Amino acid sequence: MNRSDFYDELAHEVGISKAKSRKYCDALFDIMAAKIAEEERVYIFGLGTFTKKRCSSKRIGDIVNGGSIEIPPYTKIDFKPADSLIEVIKEIEED
């Protein structure tokens, strides 16, 4: 599912126009991104927790040249699913 599909699905599910769906989703995503960038934890009940995580530099093996490559420090978004989301997915997989 891409972003456009998500807008369509939300508009259909809630009974609003795709334009309103896009406006609400974009606002939600912008707020989440801003708060995560500010190093705030974003918790959405039933979905999970998004946090900003700094990863230190590391060396990995270079399979082409046989040496090693230095990976510089980087930042990533960490997501921990809520227990209720994990349960819903398990139930769907069991069916």
Side-chain angles (χ1 to χ4, degrees):
M1 174 180 270
N2 63 32
R3 203 171 196 162
S4 180
D5 294 337
F6 188 76
Y7 296 148
D8 290 338
E9 190 79 21
L10 179 64
H12 176 75
E13 187 72 26
V14 180
I16 59 176
S17 70
K18 185 175 178 183
K20 279 189 179 180
S21 174
R22 177 180 305 215
K23 178 181 175 182
Y24 298 148
C25 288
D26 288 347
L28 173 68
F29 298 150
D30 290 345
I31 291 166
M32 288 178 65
K35 294 303 177 185
I36 293 168
E38 293 170 7
E39 305 208 18
E40 285 191 41
R41 180 179 75 101
V42 175
Y43 172 71
I44 300 175
F45 181 79
L47 181 63
T49 305
F50 297 85
T51 53
K52 181 176 169 181
K53 183 177 180 183
R54 287 189 170 75
C55 299
S56 59
S57 63
K58 58 184 173 184
R59 290 196 148 310
I60 61 169
D62 182 354
I63 60 172
V64 174
N65 298 326
S68 63
I69 300 172
E70 176 81 20
I71 304 294
Y74 60 97
T75 301
K76 69 177 187 174
I77 305 301
D78 193 40
F79 173 70
K80 181 180 184 312
D83 291 340
S84 57
L85 177 62
I86 293 170
E87 289 302 316
V88 168
I89 292 172
K90 283 181 183 178
E91 288 175 13
I92 292 171
E93 289 176 344
E94 291 174 357
D95 289 341

